[in-house]
Amino acid sequence: MNHETFMRLALQQAQQALSNNEFPVGAVIIAGDEPVAIGRRENSQNETANELDHAEIVALRDLLGRRPDIDRQTLTVYSTMEPCLMCYSTMLLNGIRTFVYAYEDAMGGGTGLQLAHLTPLYQAMEPEVRILPHVLRQESLTLFKTFFTSQENNYWQGSLLAEYTLAQP
């Protein structure tokens, strides 16, 4: 499996989000070597702002709408940013066990969640979960730096994530 090829698809989604003045996160769900769903961050700003339309959730909705019968344990999610707790746990509860991401979320990343310390539902998932970080990290970081230095974007401005991102070489 070529992780960089699939991450580039997620980066295309992130670039589209950035072009729409949205937080530049893109996600692609892969079955074997076939993209089966895509998503990008939506509604991160203005009157429709919410914390539900994350790229991974949008991609999962796309998947469930198109391929509800697919064996989700065979899927891999590629995201330009480490999934947050909401996205990570939602993907786990929907059967997805493999995660590849580009840029670490220093403020809200969820993949470090210690499943063994949670309830039995999550404890049972721990041996099956596979996480591969930092695939095309620099390309994703560039998008986030562009976002955080733009005067048009106010989402998470001044946050730990913004400060961490802008301090990266």
Side-chain angles (χ1 to χ4, degrees):
M1 183 177 299
N2 187 339
H3 296 302
E4 288 187 6
T5 297
F6 298 130
M7 187 59 75
R8 287 192 196 292
L9 295 175
L11 284 163
Q12 288 173 4
Q13 292 298 309
Q15 181 60 59
Q16 288 180 17
L18 182 62
S19 295
N20 293 330
N21 291 323
E22 297 284 355
F23 197 55
V25 181
V28 177
I29 301 176
I30 304 296
D33 62 358
E34 174 192 1
V36 293
I38 59 171
R40 63 181 166 267
R41 182 65 164 99
E42 299 173 357
N43 300 311
S44 62
Q45 301 200 68
N46 45 45
E47 67 278 350
T48 59
N50 69 66
E51 289 301 330
L52 294 173
D53 296 325
H54 289 199
E56 299 89 346
I57 301 299
V58 172
L60 182 60
R61 286 181 181 144
D62 183 40
L63 174 76
L64 297 175
R66 287 203 252 172
R67 306 274 302 267
D69 58 337
I70 198 165
D71 179 4
R72 295 182 211 145
Q73 291 189 5
T74 66
L75 302 176
T76 301
V77 176
Y78 287 81
S79 181
T80 59
M81 175 171 265
E82 177 185 5
C84 70
L85 284 172
M86 175 185 72
C87 293
Y88 183 57
S89 61
T90 299
M91 294 286 182
L92 288 174
L93 289 172
N94 278 278
I96 298 173
R97 299 292 184 266
T98 305
F99 302 85
V100 180
Y101 66 85
Y103 183 56
E104 66 276 8
D105 184 347
M107 185 171 76
T111 63
L113 184 64
Q114 298 295 312
L115 298 175
H117 296 240
L118 299 178
T119 59
L121 174 66
Y122 292 96
Q123 289 173 5
M125 296 175 192
E126 186 176 41
E128 302 171 5
V129 175
R130 292 169 300 284
I131 300 168
L132 178 62
H134 303 136
V135 173
L136 298 180
R137 180 185 184 274
Q138 194 60 45
E139 289 84 340
S140 186
L141 173 61
T142 298
L143 294 176
F144 287 105
K145 283 186 173 191
T146 299
F147 180 85
F148 284 126
T149 56
S150 170
Q151 297 299 326
E152 295 178 26
N153 301 313
N154 60 10
Y155 184 72
W156 291 122
Q157 289 291 346
S159 68
L160 171 65
L161 179 61
E163 291 174 10
Y164 176 83
T165 298
L166 294 174
Q168 296 300 302

